[in-house]
Amino acid sequence: MKKINEIFYSLQGEGYHTGTPAVFVRFSGCNLTCDFCDMQHQEGVLMTDDQIVSEVKKHPASVVILTGGEPSLFVDEALVDQLHQAGLYLCMETNGTRPVPAAVDWITCSPKPGASLGIQRMDEVKVVYTGQDISVYEGLPASHFFLQPCSGLNTVETVEYILSHPKWRLSLQTHKLIDIP
């Protein structure tokens, strides 16, 4: 059984896959406590892998975003296999502190200040910028690097940082800008 906060269909609003229709599987629970987190970790229902796949298949998208909380606390090879058998492409958004099943198709690592990384593979790095030292993330083994303003409150500062460090690209929470889930 896995604790699910919600499963919903929308557009990916952040990072490399921005604008892609996707089914979001949001897990409840995290191994970190971030000041800017907007997740209610105590909320959620327990679901089996079969129930999760069944709920995901109610939607027309072939892309699934496994998010949270911290999905690596819950996602295992069995769930990944079932979702793949259903013909789905799996993206996981993780804080990178724990291993991720090898068969996940796309890994977005959103490292948090002070957290030790326990992940070996990542396709993109997406950092919520609060003015911290970003250079510590530049050597991570990813192909794409995104900097995201913290709740849109420091957009100018984030843009200025990117302009002086062109390895990074801007990621806005477009779902919040256009008022979709």
Side-chain angles (χ1 to χ4, degrees):
M1 300 291 278
K2 295 170 172 65
K3 190 173 181 184
I4 303 296
N5 182 276
E6 63 182 332
I7 296 176
F8 63 97
Y9 181 52
S10 190
L11 299 179
Q12 171 59 293
E14 305 172 359
Y16 184 83
H17 290 101
T18 296
T20 302
V23 180
F24 291 78
V25 178
R26 187 178 308 280
F27 295 85
S28 283
C30 189
N31 58 334
L32 300 178
T33 307
C34 300
D35 293 339
F36 53 81
C37 183
D38 58 2
M39 173 83 179
Q40 300 299 318
H41 297 291
Q42 64 277 13
E43 297 177 8
V45 297
L46 293 176
M47 296 177 74
T48 66
D49 289 356
D50 288 339
Q51 290 171 320
I52 293 168
V53 173
S54 176
E55 191 65 29
V56 166
K57 289 300 292 174
K58 291 179 181 177
H59 305 284
S62 61
V63 174
V64 176
I65 310 291
L66 305 170
T67 187
E70 177 48 46
S72 68
L73 294 170
F74 307 96
V75 176
D76 54 23
E77 294 291 348
L79 177 59
V80 169
D81 289 346
Q82 273 193 264
L83 290 165
H84 276 151
Q85 288 170 9
L88 300 166
Y89 179 85
L90 305 180
C91 302
M92 182 185 283
E93 297 178 352
T94 175
N95 61 30
T97 59
R98 298 173 38 84
V100 170
V104 171
D105 299 299
W106 183 271
I107 299 171
T108 299
C109 181
S110 184
K112 305 303 185 264
S116 297
L117 293 179
I119 188 173
Q120 298 301 314
R121 184 190 129 225
M122 56 191 79
D123 297 290
E124 72 178 300
V125 172
K126 182 175 59 75
V127 177
V128 176
Y129 188 55
T130 59
Q132 74 272 38
D133 180 12
I134 300 302
S135 66
V136 298
Y137 305 122
E138 291 187 355
L140 293 176
S143 299
H144 307 278
F145 291 81
F146 293 93
L147 208 55
Q148 181 171 297
C150 186
S151 300
L153 300 176
N154 60 340
T155 304
V156 171
E157 181 182 353
T158 304
V159 168
E160 288 173 357
Y161 185 91
I162 293 168
L163 287 172
S164 61
H165 300 86
K167 176 176 190 164
W168 294 89
R169 290 172 44 195
L170 181 65
S171 176
L172 299 175
Q173 293 180 304
T174 58
H175 55 290
K176 292 182 178 180
L177 295 173
I178 61 176
D179 197 29
I180 61 173

